[in-house]
């Protein structure tokens, strides 16, 4: 069982930056692929970034590539998402997710996810 708690969302102007954090419980954090997905009203969930347990594999959706950076600290059981050059279309609830298998996180499948944190980008 993994419990995930996100923080760091908020309101920011277009072009601004935010840093999301996710704190994970459990002793097996490094064995999970971790990621962030977002969901805007009326839209399907979108996995925007993911990182494997060893940090060897990293994925970014085209919509955020070059603007967002995902990182993890296995010693501290934390996951982060640095978001730069934010756009109004980035407005959504952002969720931290964990899954045992790397391929599943790329298929928008999660074993665990947090309660989400709202990110709102004003134009």
């Amino acid at each position: 069982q993994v419990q995930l708690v996100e923080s760091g969302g908020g309101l920011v102007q277009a072009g601004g930056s935010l840093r999301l954090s996710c704190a994970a419980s459990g002793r097996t954090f490094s064995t999970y692929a971790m990621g962030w997905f977002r969901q805007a009203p009326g839209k399907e969930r979108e996995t925007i970034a993911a990182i494997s347990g060893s940090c060897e594999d990293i994925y970014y959706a085209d919509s955020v590539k070059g603007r967002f950076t995902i990182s993890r600290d296995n010693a501290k059981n934390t996951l982060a998402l640095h978001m730069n050059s934010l756009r109004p279309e980035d407005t959504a609830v952002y969720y931290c997710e964990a899954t045992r298998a790397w391929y599943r996180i790329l298929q928008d499948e999660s074993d665990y996810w947090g309660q989400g944190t709202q990110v709102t980008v004003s134009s």
Side-chain angles (χ1 to χ4, degrees):
Q1 187 80 11
V2 176
Q3 293 185 327
L4 305 170
V5 179
E6 303 97 337
S7 60
L11 173 64
V12 64
Q13 289 188 332
S17 300
L18 278 177
R19 181 181 184 274
L20 304 185
S21 297
C22 175
S25 67
R27 299 180 179 179
T28 58
F29 178 75
S30 63
T31 66
Y32 284 87
M34 301 293 296
W36 294 90
F37 69 88
R38 65 187 182 187
Q39 189 156 25
K43 294 187 177 181
E44 294 186 356
R45 63 175 274 177
E46 177 190 18
T47 296
I48 56 170
I51 185 168
S52 62
S54 64
C55 302
E56 289 184 358
D57 297 299
I58 294 179
Y59 162 83
Y60 294 104
D62 288 342
S63 57
V64 306
K65 198 172 295 182
R67 300 186 298 123
F68 291 10
T69 302
I70 189 171
S71 62
R72 67 187 294 165
D73 186 333
N74 288 338
K76 296 181 179 180
N77 282 17
T78 57
L79 179 74
L81 184 69
H82 294 261
M83 305 186 294
N84 297 318
S85 303
L86 283 162
R87 306 167 179 167
E89 54 264 40
D90 293 319
T91 296
V93 179
Y94 284 69
Y95 298 86
C96 171
E97 60 179 331
T99 182
R100 284 287 193 186
W102 173 248
Y103 77 91
R104 293 187 66 238
I105 208 168
L106 300 183
Q107 294 177 352
D108 288 330
E109 297 176 357
S110 311
D111 293 327
Y112 305 100
W113 57 93
Q115 82 289 350
T117 185
Q118 177 71 47
V119 171
T120 303
V121 184
S122 63
S123 58

